[in-house]
Amino acid sequence: MPNAAVKAAAYSLNHTPELALWYGNTPYVERLTHPDSEFLRDLPKFQQNYHEAASYAPNQTYIGAMEIEDFEKREKPWYKNLEPQERRYGRYGEIMPEDETIAFMDICDVFDLIWLEKGFAASIREKLAKHPLMRDDIIARLEAGHEAADIEDEIKTAAALPLYVDDRVIGCARRGHEVDPNLTAYELLVNIANKASAVLSLLHLIKNAGMKPEDVDFVVECSEEAAGDMNQRGGGNFAKAIAEIAGCANASGCDVRGFCAGPVNAIIAAASMVAAGAHKNVAVVAGGAIPKLYMNARDHVKKELPALENCIGSFGVLVVPEDGALPVIRLDAIGKHTVGAGASPQTVTTVLTYDPLKKVGLTFADVDKFSPELHNPEITLPAGAGDVPTANFKMIAALAVMKKAIEKADMVNFTKEHGMTGFVHTQGHIPSGVPFIGHAADAINAGKMTRAMIIGKGSLFLGRLTNLADGASFLIEKPQPKKEEAAVGREEIRAMILESLGELAAGLKSR
Amino acid sequence: MADNKTVKALIGEILGEIIEEAKEGGGRKTKVGLMAYGSELGAEELCRGARLAMQDDPTVKVFCIGPRLAGFEDLNWIETEPDEHAVSAAMEKALSDGVIEGAVALHYPFPVGVTTIGKIFTPGRGKPCFVASSTGTASPLRTEAMLRNAIYGIAVAKSAGVTDPKVGVLNLDGAQTVLRALQKLKESGYEISFADSIRKGGGAIFRGNDLLAGAGDVCVADTLTGNVLMKLFGAWTTGGDYEAMGWGYGPSAGEGWNRVISIISRASGAPVVAGALSLNARAAKSGLPAIVAKELQAARAAGLDELIEAMQPKQAAAEEDVKAPPSEPTDEEIHGIDVLEIENAVKALWKADVYAESSMGCTGPVIKFAKRNEEKVKEVLKAASYL
């Protein structure tokens, strides 16, 4: 069974507290329904500024500026015990501030939907020009800008949405159609932010892989947004749109959807393409979601905690043919949640962890680290949603006890050793297993880890299309040295030697 | 193929093997280690066994592991300090380095799930019989262990050249359950042949008479009973302090276990040591671990896991099974309930006549229900302290 390998990973965050304040779903809907609620009044007081966000341990861990083992030693609460040094860049990506993000959204907009105020456009051009990955062809896409009055007018008369930096309107997001509900300013703003954050991760991915944009053959995108119009609401192709801006002239692409199980399915699809030889270098990417910003802010404000959901997350993984050295994605041990499987946590966990392992003669202890949803508990606990990663590890440990792989007394130890603390923003598909791929691949390359399991699950009922649960999983591990070849070689060589000795003997006899 | 240099090295290595075989005669020898220290009968007994093994079986090349013994300098030695830990360590290293392909040990810390299959000499007709199993244990659960012993017993018999081993289950507590399970495996396609008791009525349940008469090739028992049989059939002619007959406690087998380690006891005499070495070599040469894996796979394809699952003790069905109210679309979900309590929480809602179902989406464990029941759900869950 041929496999595929992980060449590189990229993870970035766009810190956009003002997009969150104005266009995160919870405050946005509140502003429509209860415009003068206490929540809206107090929310601005609980913002986390860029310096704090870039010194926040979970964020640094996400972009690879901190190891997970070090992160787990940090004192809690993390939002109080900030790191001494803010980190703009990490091994995998960056934390981009809001002004550059708005400008980058304009760069990624090819339908003049984002207008920037002239002065802002000029100053941000200089700032962006210093960015290590902003090539000239990318910066060239930044518009010269519009008069403030024109922007003001577009907002008043054409239902455009104002864009803020430091509480000042520095542009607007325009609509794409007078009546089409899929082309409103809000929908298009969400799609462009998703696209821009994905392009950012793709640029980092290409750099991390030591490749050129033209080397990318195919892009598989796996966010949860929908791009389309009245006649085809989810037509898509975020993948190709993203590849275009990143400069991947030789790539094509397509989107994979599965709610939060999108990314794991996208990586399995990409690995299958590569293993089958359909494409060589496949980039799996996904941008983040404006609607999920400040999703739990109501509870955070009520408990007087900082509204931490202020970053649009994005990721990228480059899948290439296996070469005996890079960590391998095993296609013979895929976890699959079937239509027939039940939805209970135990069943879902069984079909995604125990079953694939058993298929290849492995057991729980053979997986150094399980990586299910990795939500940052500091965000979810105050919102009453519990500690999602820990709940997953507890279920896996309980299952291991049931299957007699570990003793009941070892459960706590098992969750600590084979699990990890959540460090990812509640950006839906983003925390869904894949944030650990970069850390895992590095640990495997450094010989500190043998095998990790990446698990993604989806809540399909949200779309009202089915009530089924969903999920997939795969293993990443150290490549097996090619043993069989040598053994076969051995027997053949033995036969050849005996044959030639036989000829030698016959020769000697007949002389 | 790899580059030239490694191919040439491979050819040289194999040519060396062929020359060595030609010089020593008797074809490729299987290299087997022997713990040559720690027997109640003295180290000489063990070394005599080594020499006897190579004399009776030219395919075996024995490496004695322990302090070099005067009078046995001609044997191949892996020398160690006169200390059992040192001997064990040297054996492990020789096995991992491939100096030896199998080993006969006086003791070995097998993990749970790995057991050894012994071979005894049955006096009635002088026939050998494999005793599955003799040391270690295939599972803490007795019936599961005996079922696995049958499969491992078949594998070891096959590795020793018995192509279609006849299997009998010793009449112990749980024998019927095990036999029924084996018969079900056979019905679902697993190849197994059952022995026939010499007692009237026959059948595959063995009594003591069948052991004395050697009515089958493999006798399935739990490991403690097996161990007693090994000692009885090995030492009944010597009054018990010297095991003179049989092939020892036999090679190890277990799920995913890939080492060929046989066990003898501190009272095993030279003939048993020699028999154990020869049996170990045969198992190593034929690749016992792969045979065990193949047998397990065939049995698993015939439903082994389900049969084992059915043998597990059922938790007492304490809570009476509550019936769910008629199902309805669940368009709301609630989070934060402890994942290990979630099924009980769902039942609490069913009892309050609220339809609910548990799930695990991407936001952790959740209970889903119809939105109109939201208040009642929170009320019930708070009352039962799930929230």
Side-chain angles (χ1 to χ4, degrees):
Chain A
M1 162 75 104
N3 290 318
V6 173
K7 171 119 181 159
Y11 301 96
S12 282
L13 296 171
N14 290 78
H15 176 251
T16 56
E18 294 186 79
L19 281 177
L21 176 66
W22 292 98
Y23 304 118
N25 213 14
T26 301
Y28 184 73
V29 169
E30 182 83 353
R31 203 166 290 115
L32 296 177
T33 51
H34 313 92
D36 36 32
S37 76
E38 275 162 38
F39 163 52
L40 284 177
R41 187 195 66 211
D42 300 339
L43 179 53
K45 289 198 285 274
F46 295 96
Q47 290 192 104
Q48 191 188 41
N49 64 38
Y50 178 80
H51 168 70
E52 290 160 335
S55 318
Y56 184 53
N59 289 349
Q60 292 194 356
T61 306
Y62 184 74
I63 63 167
M66 180 183 291
E67 293 306 324
I68 293 177
E69 303 80 41
D70 300 333
F71 162 60
E72 288 179 329
K73 299 194 195 92
R74 284 301 183 277
E75 234 193 289
K76 289 184 185 160
W78 303 307
Y79 68 85
K80 272 214 178 94
N81 302 285
L82 295 177
E83 296 305 302
Q85 279 287 339
E86 82 174 32
R87 291 295 298 272
R88 165 73 187 254
Y89 291 100
R91 208 169 52 240
Y92 305 129
E94 69 177 277
I95 302 174
M96 180 182 265
E98 185 139 29
D99 56 356
E100 291 180 40
T101 299
I102 301 290
F104 196 57
M105 281 162 60
D106 174 66
I107 284 171
C108 293
D109 157 32
V110 296
F111 274 90
D112 195 23
L113 297 170
I114 302 285
W115 284 0
L116 301 180
E117 188 273 327
K118 266 205 169 66
F120 173 77
S123 67
I124 200 68
R125 180 184 298 275
E126 272 156 42
K127 197 170 180 227
L128 262 186
K130 298 198 205 74
H131 190 292
L133 298 181
M134 292 302 157
R135 304 185 307 258
D136 298 345
D137 64 298
I138 293 178
I139 297 279
R141 290 177 180 274
L142 185 66
E143 66 174 35
H146 296 262
E147 294 304 336
D150 297 339
I151 292 171
E152 202 52 42
D153 181 54
E154 195 65 14
I155 293 169
K156 276 213 187 56
T157 64
L161 293 179
L163 296 175
Y164 299 85
V165 166
D166 303 333
D167 263 341
R168 207 165 45 84
V169 174
I170 47 85
C172 68
R174 303 169 67 226
R175 67 183 174 196
H177 190 279
E178 273 79 24
V179 293
D180 187 333
N182 307 292
L183 297 173
T184 63
Y186 187 85
E187 294 305 337
L188 290 173
L189 171 64
V190 166
N191 284 355
I192 288 174
N194 177 283
K195 173 181 174 183
S197 47
V199 170
L200 184 60
S201 265
L202 181 53
L203 290 174
H204 278 283
L205 182 64
I206 293 167
K207 185 206 90 193
N208 297 347
M211 290 170 121
K212 298 190 298 306
E214 310 79 77
D215 298 333
V216 178
D217 295 318
F218 204 80
V219 175
V220 181
E221 190 269 358
C222 51
S223 73
E224 294 173 274
E225 304 311 334
D229 70 355
M230 283 191 285
N231 300 322
Q232 38 274 321
R233 205 154 57 80
N237 210 328
F238 283 84
K240 203 157 190 182
I242 292 159
E244 174 191 17
I245 307 296
C248 302
N250 296 325
S252 181
C254 70
D255 304 344
V256 162
R257 286 294 174 273
F259 281 95
C260 301
V264 280
N265 279 308
I267 288 180
I268 291 169
S272 308
M273 288 177 196
V274 169
H279 298 296
K280 215 150 98 40
N281 302 324
V282 180
V284 180
V285 296
I290 283 182
K292 291 191 172 76
L293 295 171
Y294 285 168
M295 184 160 57
N296 293 293
R298 197 189 296 279
D299 293 294
H300 294 156
V301 167
K302 203 181 294 170
K303 296 191 169 120
E304 303 196 339
L305 300 167
L308 295 169
E309 294 160 303
N310 52 27
C311 285
I312 297 171
S314 60
F315 88 96
V317 171
L318 195 67
V319 181
V320 297
E322 61 178 329
D323 62 358
L326 291 168
V328 162
I329 296 173
R330 285 189 64 165
L331 293 174
D332 58 347
I334 299 280
K336 178 176 76 166
H337 181 275
T338 58
V339 168
S344 76
Q346 179 182 323
T347 308
V348 170
T349 304
T350 302
V351 300
L352 295 184
T353 58
Y354 178 71
D355 287 356
L357 287 171
K358 201 178 79 172
K359 205 165 53 178
V360 286
L362 295 173
T363 179
F364 292 96
D366 296 320
V367 178
D368 299 304
K369 286 288 181 186
F370 291 91
S371 172
E373 289 72 23
L374 295 173
H375 299 73
N376 171 357
E378 212 162 66
I379 294 175
T380 52
L381 278 167
D387 179 335
V388 176
T390 303
N392 275 281
F393 300 132
K394 260 170 85 169
M395 189 65 243
I396 294 171
L399 188 62
V401 169
M402 254 180 270
K403 299 290 182 188
K404 292 200 181 57
I406 64 170
E407 296 301 323
K408 198 153 179 38
D410 302 339
M411 268 182 74
V412 173
N413 192 321
F414 182 88
T415 52
K416 211 164 356 66
E417 235 177 77
H418 296 272
M420 68 192 86
T421 306
F423 57 91
V424 188
H425 278 273
T426 50
Q427 283 273 288
H429 53 289
I430 293 295
S432 197
V434 289
F436 185 59
I437 293 176
H439 290 277
D442 289 350
I444 290 170
N445 288 331
K448 284 191 289 181
M449 178 182 292
T450 306
R451 180 174 299 108
M453 176 182 267
I454 310 297
I455 305 162
K457 298 193 279 298
S459 316
L460 305 186
F461 77 94
L462 294 169
R464 302 296 186 271
L465 210 52
T466 170
N467 195 32
L468 290 174
D470 187 27
S473 69
F474 56 88
L475 291 172
I476 297 183
E477 60 179 48
K478 200 155 58 88
Q480 311 285 7
K482 296 254 175 313
K483 262 222 290 341
E484 317 78 26
E485 240 172 77
V488 166
R490 198 176 190 65
E491 292 315 320
E492 271 161 22
I493 290 176
R494 190 183 170 80
M496 272 187 266
I497 293 173
L498 290 177
E499 203 181 297
S500 40
L501 285 179
E503 282 154 19
L504 180 64
L508 291 172
K509 269 190 283 177
S510 62
R511 223 170 261 114
Chain B
M1 273 299 280
D3 56 58
N4 259 352
K5 210 151 80 29
T6 43
V7 172
K8 280 210 182 90
L10 200 54
I11 292 175
E13 195 185 304
I14 296 172
L15 202 52
E17 259 177 34
I18 294 171
I19 294 163
E20 189 189 316
E21 281 160 41
K23 269 206 216 121
E24 291 177 354
R28 212 169 77 75
K29 287 195 183 331
T30 307
K31 300 191 280 295
V32 176
L34 169 68
M35 275 194 190
Y37 179 80
S39 165
E40 287 165 17
L41 309 171
E44 295 76 10
E45 193 65 28
L46 293 167
C47 292
R48 261 204 301 283
R51 190 176 280 152
L52 194 59
M54 288 192 276
Q55 169 196 307
D56 292 350
D57 182 348
T59 73
V60 176
K61 184 174 191 178
V62 181
F63 286 77
C64 293
I65 304 169
R68 188 182 288 270
L69 195 64
F72 293 90
E73 290 81 1
D74 60 310
L75 296 177
N76 309 300
W77 281 92
I78 297 176
E79 277 201 75
T80 73
E81 296 302 314
D83 153 71
E84 295 213 6
H85 294 299
V87 173
S88 300
M91 187 185 83
E92 287 292 339
K93 188 174 186 319
L95 265 170
S96 341
D97 295 351
V99 170
I100 52 177
E101 294 155 78
V104 173
L106 291 168
H107 50 80
Y108 193 87
F110 293 121
V112 170
V114 177
T115 188
T116 57
I117 307 297
K119 185 176 175 185
I120 55 172
F121 175 84
T122 62
R125 301 257 184 320
K127 269 187 64 195
C129 175
F130 287 93
V131 174
S133 59
S134 63
T135 68
T137 176
S139 156
L141 182 67
R142 182 190 170 78
T143 45
E144 176 185 346
M146 285 171 70
L147 181 57
R148 286 178 179 276
N149 287 352
I151 294 166
Y152 301 153
I154 289 168
V156 171
K158 284 183 176 173
S159 81
V162 182
T163 47
D164 180 19
K166 304 287 179 290
V167 179
V169 181
L170 195 59
N171 195 13
L172 304 168
D173 179 17
Q176 293 299 349
T177 310
V178 174
L179 182 58
R180 260 203 311 287
L182 288 171
Q183 283 158 344
K184 280 206 189 104
L185 285 179
K186 181 172 181 123
E187 283 148 26
S188 314
Y190 175 63
E191 280 167 33
I192 176 172
S193 310
F194 291 111
D196 219 4
S197 166
I198 62 167
R199 292 291 298 278
K200 210 160 92 43
I205 296 291
F206 268 14
R207 298 169 188 75
N209 329 75
D210 299 309
L211 269 171
L212 290 171
D217 299 308
V218 176
C219 171
V220 177
D222 67 80
T223 198
L224 291 177
T225 311
N227 197 273
V228 167
L229 294 178
M230 296 303 309
K231 293 177 163 42
L232 278 177
F233 278 84
W236 65 282
T237 57
T238 68
D241 61 354
Y242 184 96
E243 288 164 12
M245 293 193 298
W247 292 265
Y249 297 75
S252 53
E255 184 123 28
W257 177 255
N258 51 25
R259 298 199 139 191
V260 183
I261 293 169
S262 295
I263 296 296
I264 50 174
S265 87
R266 295 171 194 280
S268 296
V272 170
V273 173
L277 284 164
S278 182
L279 181 62
N280 185 274
R282 188 72 188 279
K285 188 173 181 189
S286 52
L288 176 59
I291 297 173
V292 170
K294 200 156 145 283
E295 278 307 311
L296 265 177
Q297 204 176 10
R300 191 158 271 144
L304 175 67
D305 289 333
E306 289 69 27
L307 289 168
I308 287 177
E309 196 66 35
M311 286 176 168
Q312 305 306 319
K314 297 285 162 294
Q315 284 112 343
E319 344 77 31
E320 54 341 293
D321 43 18
V322 180
K323 283 277 163 293
S327 71
E328 57 191 359
T330 55
D331 52 357
E332 190 51 84
E333 60 176 25
I334 193 161
H335 303 262
I337 292 153
D338 184 323
V339 68
L340 300 182
E341 285 302 320
I342 207 155
E343 300 310 329
N344 299 337
V346 166
K347 288 205 174 85
L349 289 170
W350 289 352
K351 264 192 223 144
D353 199 26
V354 174
Y355 176 74
E357 52 190 51
S358 69
S359 182
M360 179 95 109
C362 58
T363 54
V366 290
I367 290 185
K368 288 159 60 203
F369 48 87
K371 188 148 180 52
R372 70 178 189 290
N373 293 330
E374 188 159 18
E375 284 326 312
K376 188 155 188 229
V377 165
K378 286 191 175 138
E379 207 184 285
V380 168
L381 293 181
K382 278 204 184 70
S385 67
Y386 288 120
L387 261 185

